[in-house]
Amino acid sequence: MRFSPPRSALLGLAFLLSASTAFAQQAAVPFDMSGERGPTTDTKPAIVDDTTPAVETKVPDKATEVSDTATRRYIIPATSLMLEGEAASRSFPVYLTPQQAAAATSINLGYSNAVVVAPEVSSLTVVVNDVTVGEMPVQSPEGTKDMRFDLPTGLLRPGVNRVTFNTVQRHRTDCTIRSTYDLWTSLDPARTYLTVPRDTSGRLLTTDDIAGIGVGPNGQTKFTMVVPEMGQPVATNALMRLTQGLALMAKMPNQTFDVVDALPATGGAGELQVMVGTAADLAPLLPGLPASARSSAIATFVDAPSGDRKVFVVSGPDWPSIEGAVEGMVSPIDRPLGVAREALSVRQRNAAEMPLVAGEATLKLASLGVRTAEFSGRRLRTGFDIGIPSDFYAGAYGEATLLLDAAYSAEVLPGSHVDIYVNGNIASTVPITNRNGGIFRHLPIRVTMRHFRPGPNRIDIETVLMTAADKVCAPGSSASEEPRFALFDTSEFRMPRFARIAQLPNLAALSGTGFPYSRATDPIALYLDRLDTDTLSTSATFLGKMAVSSGRALLVRPESSALAIGERDAILFGTISQLPPLVLGQTHIAAESASSWGSAGAGAGQGATQDALNEWQSRVRGGSWRGQISAFETWLQETFDISLSSLRLLPGAEALVAPDDTARFLVAQGDSPESTAVWTVVSAPTGADLRAGMDAVAQDDRWQQLDGYMTLESKDADALDTRAVSRTRFVATQAWTFANVRLIAANWLSSNILAYALVFCALSILLGIATSGLLRRFGRPL
């Protein structure tokens, strides 16, 4: 008898075969051990999106792709952007000329996400000028997906426009707090842009349009300064003044300057080419140079020889007239020295000015960009930015207060908590101990100020919520939209009155607010070891960053000799071998670095010596008294957060630093020989390293890492190597008052524990003697 299987069995077998084939194809995609897939642009999933008004664009093969970058106004000023966690939001400013604002038609974005993100309950929203222009599910785990949203007519405006990306993400299977760290959506800066017609996108017409230079596909902003006679010392002053003015006009986070002697054949997005020189020097390079440049100074846009772009030209019959044209550009945007700053102009962080908190103040979170939010997930993180002045001196004792207005539902269990972070460091934790829900009305949370630094500061509020439902983690529980927690924008941040006195050396104040050069009344001495493209590019980029941090263009005076600087504030650029030993010693750089830094043989010898020293230390550490002291110091640091340096009665001198071969670039600061001025050195082993290192440090995330009396950069490390200051020189910036002196003394004694103990003992003895004398006077001897 022949067996004939039923039709249902055949259908079931076909289903199993198709499922196993699909599983095999999915298994071919590489995963990491956590089951999460990193962002990639190699494969493009075929996703049909019928529930969103967005238009999905097909990306051609890389070999045949021809991108028309002239029609793109890129948005993200970074090499990458990750929206992490269950709820994340980032805002960016986009400056548009009147022609660009009127002609922009759509916004494009390319994104990918972690494979563990559940697309049915996760979304990505694009908001332009507080108007939602598109919303879509997060569903691109296998490659970068490109989306396009049409912009309503009249939505964009001339000047600064705010573009915001909001994401809500939920895990497919996991409900733990740990799983929220696996959620991410990555936006590709090269595929995220506004579309503007070619005839208006790159056409800059007036000096006001320089702010519209924007960023390139890699998040960078580049000024190419074409100076045919860059070797002339007379050109240096005008060039440095002009670069600072351009930096203040653009105010982009990652802007660099490239000084060359010939006009490049092409230009890209986020790049402005500026030609500087006399009419006689520029005429051979620029046929369209206005004839008026031979008789008077000009500063205007001119068509490039190829006719495909505009170049900015600053010219005149001679260099004094060029300096006059530069001053005419810079003066209207320059902040006079006597005018106090109310905000830090770093709008690239959150598309808004950052308030400068110079003393006791109360700020509502609504005014800082934090809006009321209801949250149904497990971990919510939001925050705001504030500015701190350069003479901030309260890191050892000061405490700010966050008055929290919030509410949580009855399902939130004890053990949940609210954490406050300052610049990425935990500053305070408040546990949630009540059951059955609750409302916080101006709950005071004390925030230690030890992690505050001069300049921009980021304060984050993170709420971790635990519930019984998350422990069970039933299917579909992550899709619940019932709010568990609410944060209200009526919350306030209160900064107390803090001590105001500046400290030197202090690279953190230099990168944050430009101190001490931002307060200089006399021109700053500027030394360049040679007038070539590497050194001029480095100095232009550094001064451009300083101008944005200072909020004003610095007056500089080039000097031909470092020894002629004397007792003046100075900035010195050059290779390490060209700097005088006096300069190296004053900025705590070992003299032997002039010959050993960058030498492969010397580096190998130093490495072998250090290895041998480490081996002998490990041999004798167990029984030696130095090893016991080292172990005791480690125990104090780990247990009480106390170092032996804080137990010294008087601080020691700064150690001389000899950079090893892993370092490529350094910024060091020290006093002049008479300790009446400040010298800052920017150096590297070679000119190429000097330029490459400065371009790396000019990126906003690294620029904010400058700290201590020396910072070293390595091309193989993401973080900078900073050397903490041991002995500081105090500089009075405020009028001497009893209240300020008391706060200064409180912070100094908190930093120097041994001195505080001695003062306390001395005052106790004096109190005892006074009490004894008083009792004898009244006839009651002890």
Side-chain angles (χ1 to χ4, degrees), residues 552-599:
R552 58 187 297 261
L554 307 177
L555 291 175
V556 298
R557 178 178 298 168
E559 295 289 344
S560 58
S561 172
L563 300 178
I565 294 175
E567 293 298 312
R568 291 183 294 163
D569 290 338
I571 307 176
L572 303 96
F573 299 89
T575 57
I576 192 71
S577 59
Q578 298 298 316
L579 296 176
L582 174 63
V583 174
L584 299 180
Q586 292 300 128
T587 53
H588 316 292
I589 303 173
E592 60 268 20
S593 301
S595 58
S596 63
W597 191 18
S599 173

Side-chain angles (χ1 to χ4, degrees), residues 504 507 510 514-518 520 522-528 542-543 546 554-559 561-573 579 583 586-587 667-673 676-682 729:
L504 292 172
L507 290 178
L510 181 140
F515 183 85
Y517 304 106
S518 59
D522 298 325
I524 303 163
L526 180 67
Y527 171 74
L528 308 176
F542 188 86
L543 289 177
M546 288 275 294
L554 307 177
L555 291 175
V556 298
R557 178 178 298 168
E559 295 289 344
S561 172
L563 300 178
I565 294 175
E567 293 298 312
R568 291 183 294 163
D569 290 338
I571 307 176
L572 303 96
F573 299 89
L579 296 176
V583 174
Q586 292 300 128
T587 53
V667 181
Q669 192 173 84
D671 287 334
S672 61
T676 59
V678 178
W679 291 358
T680 300
V681 167
V682 180
R729 175 168 64 93

Side-chain angles (χ1 to χ4, degrees), residues 223-237:
F223 294 91
T224 301
M225 312 296 293
V226 183
V227 188
E229 298 296 329
M230 68 171 66
Q232 294 185 9
V234 68
T236 304
N237 193 42

Side-chain angles (χ1 to χ4, degrees), residues 35-396:
E36 182 178 350
R37 185 159 33 216
T40 175
T41 58
D42 293 335
T43 58
K44 307 294 183 293
I47 301 175
V48 180
D49 189 1
D50 296 331
T51 61
T52 173
V55 178
E56 181 181 352
T57 60
K58 298 296 183 180
V59 181
D61 185 79
K62 292 182 179 180
T64 60
E65 181 179 359
V66 179
S67 60
D68 188 6
T69 57
T71 65
R72 300 180 179 181
R73 291 287 286 110
Y74 294 97
I75 298 172
I76 302 174
T79 55
S80 63
L81 175 63
M82 298 285 286
L83 300 175
E84 300 176 293
E86 293 182 302
S89 178
R90 289 294 301 273
S91 298
F92 302 100
V94 179
Y95 187 97
L96 299 175
T97 65
Q99 296 78 14
Q100 293 171 347
T105 58
S106 63
I107 183 172
N108 291 62
L109 73 152
Y111 79 97
S112 61
N113 57 269
V115 71
V116 297
V117 176
E120 62 274 8
V121 290
S122 303
S123 63
L124 177 62
T125 307
V126 182
V127 181
V128 179
N129 291 337
D130 296 328
V131 175
T132 300
V133 299
E135 184 175 1
M136 58 188 172
V138 178
Q139 52 180 12
S140 183
E142 298 183 3
T144 302
K145 179 181 178 182
D146 292 271
M147 307 297 293
R148 185 180 75 247
F149 301 98
D150 294 330
L151 296 175
T153 303
L155 176 61
L156 298 176
R157 53 178 179 258
V160 178
N161 296 266
R162 182 187 180 99
V163 179
T164 303
F165 301 101
N166 298 321
T167 184
V168 175
Q169 304 173 121
R170 294 293 183 267
H171 202 283
R172 288 179 182 270
T173 58
D174 202 342
C175 303
T176 62
I177 303 298
R178 176 64 186 85
S179 69
T180 63
Y181 292 92
D182 297 330
L183 302 174
W184 54 261
T185 295
S186 175
L187 297 185
D188 187 351
R191 298 184 179 184
T192 305
Y193 53 86
L194 295 172
T195 302
V196 183
R198 171 180 284 273
D199 58 346
T200 60
S201 61
R203 296 294 177 177
L204 306 180
L205 304 178
T206 66
T207 54
D208 293 336
D209 295 342
I210 292 177
I213 179 177
V215 298
N218 58 353
Q220 311 296 307
T221 301
K222 181 180 179 181
F223 294 91
T224 301
M225 312 296 293
V226 183
V227 188
E229 298 296 329
M230 68 171 66
Q232 294 185 9
V234 68
T236 304
N237 193 42
L239 179 62
M240 296 299 110
R241 185 73 171 170
L242 176 60
T243 55
Q244 294 183 77
L246 294 173
L248 286 173
M249 292 178 184
K251 290 182 182 176
M252 300 308 296
N254 306 317
Q255 52 192 15
T256 59
F257 288 83
D258 188 9
V259 181
V260 297
D261 57 2
L263 183 66
T266 59
E271 180 178 353
L272 178 64
Q273 296 171 348
V274 183
M275 303 189 71
V276 185
T278 62
D281 294 334
L282 298 184
L285 302 177
L286 192 62
L289 182 69
S292 58
R294 298 187 178 275
S295 58
S296 60
I298 63 169
T300 185
F301 282 96
V302 177
D303 287 327
S306 58
D308 61 343
R309 63 190 186 281
K310 292 279 189 178
V311 297
F312 190 68
V313 178
V314 181
S315 184
D318 49 31
W319 281 104
S321 63
I322 294 175
E323 291 183 358
V326 170
E327 196 60 34
M329 286 179 53
V330 177
S331 295
I333 61 172
D334 195 15
R335 177 178 62 89
L337 184 60
V339 177
R341 305 172 71 180
E342 296 182 356
L344 299 183
S345 299
V346 285
R347 63 180 182 219
Q348 68 274 6
R349 283 178 171 250
N350 57 3
E353 297 290 330
M354 185 184 303
L356 181 64
V357 182
E360 187 176 5
T362 300
L363 304 171
K364 288 186 177 295
L365 264 59
S367 65
L368 297 171
V370 179
R371 301 182 180 181
T372 297
E374 294 183 334
F375 182 63
S376 61
R378 294 143 193 84
R379 184 172 63 91
L380 173 66
R381 190 180 181 104
T382 186
F384 54 91
D385 298 295
I386 62 171
I388 298 295
S390 57
D391 54 359
F392 170 80
Y393 187 62

